[in-house]
């Protein structure tokens, strides 16, 4: 089974991922929790919400790191991965293979769009294979409507720029388009 939790910044993706992970633990099912090593906003080797609810996690960036951890824990078939947009596209192929060929249950959480309103390829590649796609929305910080866009406050040419409220705000489509015109 493949579950995708996506949306813009501050929409509750990590909160929902941790809720599902903790529910899995409560049911006494073993699971592995991963985060990208770039994400050190609230500590190392953790998945954290913006409110700093946290769980220990494997902090990785390379596909061979994940494969090694999976091989060491080969009896565990439940995987949770946060900040999936940071992972290279090859991780998408690994996730698809784990679900389609090896019987894993994988839940990923991540941004679906960049702050330039382009899709993150790692998430996009998973979507046709998903059993569930949960699209979460934040609250637009300009008008209060549902927000599905992440607007970068600090100019940068990089597609990936790790940050929180100091760097990004949530906007609805209308406010996002107004901000991009200015």
């Amino acid at each position: 089974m493949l579950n995708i939790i996506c949306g813009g910044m501050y929409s509750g993706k990590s909160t929902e991922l941790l809720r599902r992970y903790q529910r899995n633990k409560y049911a006494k099912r073993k699971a592995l929790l991963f985060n990208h090593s770039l994400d050190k906003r609230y500590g190392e080797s953790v998945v954290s919400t913006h409110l700093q609810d946290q769980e220990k996690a494997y902090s990785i960036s390379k596909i061979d790191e994940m494969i090694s951890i999976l091989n060491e824990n080969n009896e565990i078939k439940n995987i949770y991965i946060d900040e999936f947009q940071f992972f290279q596209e090859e991780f998408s192929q690994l996730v698809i293979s784990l679900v389609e060929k090896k019987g894993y249950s994988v839940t990923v959480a991540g941004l679906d769009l960049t702050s330039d309103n382009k899709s993150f390829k790692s998430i996009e590649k998973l979507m046709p294979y998903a059993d569930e796609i949960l699209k979460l929305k934040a609250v637009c910080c300009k008008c209060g409507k549902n927000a599905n866009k992440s607007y970068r406050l600090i100019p940068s040419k990089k597609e990936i720029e790790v940050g929180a409220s100091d760097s990004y705000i949530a906007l609805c489509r209308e406010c996002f388009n107004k901000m991009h015109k200015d």
Side-chain angles (χ1 to χ4, degrees):
M1 176 169 276
L2 175 58
N3 302 300
I4 299 172
I5 304 164
C6 61
M9 294 282 290
Y10 316 111
S11 61
K13 299 174 304 297
S14 297
T15 301
E16 178 62 17
L17 182 80
L18 286 180
R19 185 191 71 77
R20 291 177 185 209
Y21 174 76
Q22 290 162 348
R23 188 172 190 272
N24 192 73
K25 277 179 33 178
Y26 182 74
K28 300 193 182 344
R29 291 189 297 260
K30 291 183 179 180
L32 298 172
L33 183 61
F34 293 93
N35 197 1
H36 198 284
S37 59
L38 282 175
D39 187 12
K40 297 175 182 155
R41 293 172 293 182
Y42 304 110
E44 297 210 21
S45 299
V46 296
V47 167
S48 180
T49 68
H50 291 293
L51 298 175
Q52 297 192 32
D53 293 330
Q54 299 182 339
E55 287 277 352
K56 286 199 168 290
Y58 290 99
S59 181
I60 62 169
S61 62
K62 297 184 174 97
I63 201 163
D64 58 326
E65 294 171 314
M66 179 177 266
I67 290 170
S68 176
I69 292 164
L70 294 176
N71 287 338
E72 290 169 14
N73 298 279
N74 63 354
E75 77 285 358
I76 301 175
K77 300 294 185 190
N78 296 305
I79 301 172
Y80 296 82
I81 308 170
D82 200 22
E83 304 297 352
F84 198 75
Q85 74 278 357
F86 293 155
F87 289 97
Q88 297 295 319
E89 286 182 52
E90 63 187 5
F91 273 88
S92 301
Q93 281 308 123
L94 175 61
V95 167
I96 292 164
S97 177
L98 291 172
V99 170
E100 295 287 324
K101 296 179 179 158
K102 300 200 176 185
Y104 280 77
S105 174
V106 180
T107 302
V108 303
L111 296 169
D112 50 352
L113 294 172
T114 68
S115 59
D116 289 328
N117 208 29
K118 296 179 180 137
S119 66
F120 275 107
K121 297 298 181 194
S122 55
I123 293 271
E124 181 184 308
K125 285 189 177 290
L126 293 180
M127 291 199 175
Y129 300 92
D131 295 286
E132 175 195 17
I133 300 172
L134 177 61
K135 173 86 170 184
L136 298 175
K137 293 174 184 60
V139 175
C140 179
C141 72
K142 296 288 185 190
C143 72
K145 292 179 185 173
N146 280 337
N148 61 350
K149 309 288 184 189
S150 303
Y151 182 80
R152 186 182 295 155
L153 297 169
I154 300 165
S156 175
K157 297 272 185 211
K158 294 182 191 174
E159 180 178 78
I160 294 176
E161 193 79 51
V162 180
S165 60
D166 60 329
S167 306
Y168 293 93
I169 55 174
L171 295 175
C172 69
R173 180 174 286 117
E174 186 178 326
C175 291
F176 181 87
N177 288 336
K178 284 179 190 173
M179 295 287 283
H180 265 277
K181 284 181 185 174
D182 298 339

